[in-house]
Amino acid sequence: MNELKHRILTAVKADLADIEAALTANLTPEVDFVSRVAEHILFSGGKRLRPLLMVLCARMCEYRGSYAATFSIIFEYLHVATLLHDDLVDDASHRRGRPAAHTLWGRETAVLAGDFLLARSLSIASRTHDMRIIQTIADITENMAQGEIHQIQKKGDITLSETEYRDVIRRKTAVLFQGACRVSAFLANAPEIQEKALADYGYHLGMAFQMTDDLLDYIQDSQTLGKICGADLREGKLTLPVIHALNTATPSDRSVMIQIIQNPCFSEAEFQHLVGLLYQYGAIAYTRNCSDGHVQAAKTALMVFDHSSSRDILLKIADYAVKRES
Amino acid sequence: MNELKHRILTAVKADLADIEAALTANLTPEVDFVSRVAEHILFSGGKRLRPLLMVLCARMCEYRGSYAATFSIIFEYLHVATLLHDDLVDDASHRRGRPAAHTLWGRETAVLAGDFLLARSLSIASRTHDMRIIQTIADITENMAQGEIHQIQKKGDITLSETEYRDVIRRKTAVLFQGACRVSAFLANAPEIQEKALADYGYHLGMAFQMTDDLLDYIQDSQTLGKICGADLREGKLTLPVIHALNTATPSDRSVMIQIIQNPCFSEAEFQHLVGLLYQYGAIAYTRNCSDGHVQAAKTALMVFDHSSSRDILLKIADYAVKRES
């Protein structure tokens, strides 16, 4: 797995450097303080996956201009804006091992720094003078807010269906991946068949990525160290493994699970018991199958493109999305 | 004063009805809950001043289309989005006599409903397919976030200069008024001279409006009932009356003022003593003069337009902005 990660990172090293430079260059508002808050979270070890997708997709569409890195950071800013607001929403104390912005500068600054990044994303998008790009950004921001709200509204609701879950993760995660990929086709003036293919690739990659995230929250600590599992459940977020298990368990196991789910202070032993039930009812395998299915669909979508090193990396990224361990 | 308000409201009755209808019609996301939260604050007695300005300015520019009301609500959504985030920032328990959204639905929902309204504003803007409009909306959102952050950063800072204060209120208030007025010129394809005039009108009106708001926070309770004065000072927000008085007071009065300012739990007697000093050092009159100056500039800007009933109402609104008592 580290081998795959290493090969991807080596291949995109120059692109990542361009993206980092653009992230900094576009953080120069007149109010320095905004930069400091935004930088704290922007430069705390994010994978830059979303801008990277845009840059690679643009290259695959034979984009020859020099704005890909600049426009790509829209997708990192949007992502980080939602992280700033989410940390506040979840009252998280840490993000990627560093204190969350709102604990350092207060809730107010975290909210407003998120607003600033949203606004700056829009400004950068409007510089493209391409209505399709602007419309895509508008759609993404609306969907992300609605997805997050839907998730909060359904907190702790054990009747959440798999269909609702899929709709939530589509809005809160997949739409941003999809937008990052699709926008590159607009930027490159690629034919519609390529635009559609990239939108499909991004959508399926985003779904697989989120399902894997949701899965890792249950099974990660058995493989890697240093991260606490069960965070989603503690916040009342029901994700696919639990939804599937609730649907397939016997009535008595179902009530055991519900008891654990509805007590946010569940013990480690209770959590491990729940994870055991997830395995027993095939919910872990089911979730993995679903995310694998999305990865296959993502890779298939890329087949409308000729072979290229960019396509090769995008295929590897799809594999990595579900095989990663953190 | 009520006479002026009554004449304005009578003249714009039909426009306000159109605006209300558009506000509701554009709140139909698939997630009903968002609507409910947004409606709570949207329909809690706001003046609809910003959309109204756009509709009236468009008519003055002889706009003949039917989209003015629809596009005008961008400016109410943006305004309400900042209210949702501000209430959270200020930890306000009430807004316009009703419980603040975050006390009813939690901080998370208030943040996300604000995000949704920002996103929806952007969607509506992108429907215009006019890059100038989209760029204006992008500028507004960036400025508003930066202005609010600057204000928070300077909380309780007695060295805040009048220049900094003006910059904060320009960003957090005047830029939105300015944008609402300017956008109407774009929508109507009005000549540049009219666009510039409307931008000037909106800017000066916004400055006057905010200065009056800041003034009312010190002098309102002597004239009207039911609202607590000194809210800005309790939150550590230094506004023009205090800034001016600090600059002109004797060293001993200055330290008395600083003592009151730096204690957010000041008593009513201390507050009244401070207000007395504001009068004594001409700070109330100075603030009123400044806002009157902006109103004059706003009205002068409109003189490039021929006489019309719309121009007449816009002139009245400028007067009302500084003469209102709440």
Side-chain angles (χ1 to χ4, degrees), chain B residues 2 19 26 88 102 154 170 177 182 270 294 300 309:
Chain B
N2 283 331
I19 290 167
N26 281 280
L88 217 125
H102 69 105
K154 292 285 178 172
R170 178 182 68 79
F177 278 74
R182 171 179 272 156
E270 285 172 318
H294 280 296
T300 303
S309 60

Side-chain angles (χ1 to χ4, degrees), chain A residues 89-110:
Chain A
V89 162
D90 301 337
D91 225 347
S93 62
H94 285 73
R95 160 75 60 188
R96 294 172 190 151
R98 298 173 72 185
H102 69 104
T103 66
L104 292 177
W105 290 284
R107 289 205 300 264
E108 54 262 55
T109 310

Side-chain angles (χ1 to χ4, degrees), chain B residues 56-110:
Chain B
L56 291 170
C57 289
R59 188 169 305 132
M60 194 167 59
C61 291
E62 297 175 23
Y63 172 69
R64 305 259 181 252
S66 55
Y67 294 111
T70 300
F71 292 138
S72 79
I73 64 170
I74 292 172
F75 302 95
E76 190 73 8
Y77 283 173
L78 286 179
H79 172 55
V80 167
T82 59
L83 294 183
L84 278 165
H85 287 183
D86 283 2
D87 282 348
L88 217 125
V89 163
D90 302 336
D91 225 347
S93 61
H94 285 74
R95 159 76 60 188
R96 295 173 190 153
R98 299 173 71 185
H102 69 105
T103 67
L104 292 177
W105 289 285
R107 289 205 299 266
E108 55 262 54
T109 310

Side-chain angles (χ1 to χ4, degrees), chain A residues 29-30 33 85 89 107-108 112 115-116 119-120 122-123 126 131 135 141-142 146 149 152-153 171, chain B residues 29-30 33 85 89 91 108 112 115-116 119-120 122-123 126 131 135 141-142 146 149 152-153 171:
Chain A
E30 286 141 71
F33 185 63
H85 286 185
V89 162
R107 289 205 300 264
E108 54 262 55
L112 295 172
D115 290 352
F116 169 74
R120 183 50 62 100
L122 170 52
S123 288
S126 73
M131 281 312 307
Q135 189 61 57
T141 50
E142 260 198 46
Q146 290 190 12
I149 290 176
I152 282 166
Q153 197 190 355
R171 286 171 179 270
Chain B
E30 286 142 71
F33 185 64
H85 287 183
V89 163
D91 225 347
E108 55 262 54
L112 296 172
D115 290 352
F116 170 74
R120 183 50 60 100
L122 170 54
S123 287
S126 73
M131 282 312 306
Q135 190 60 59
T141 49
E142 260 198 46
Q146 289 190 11
I149 290 177
I152 281 166
Q153 197 190 354
R171 285 170 179 271

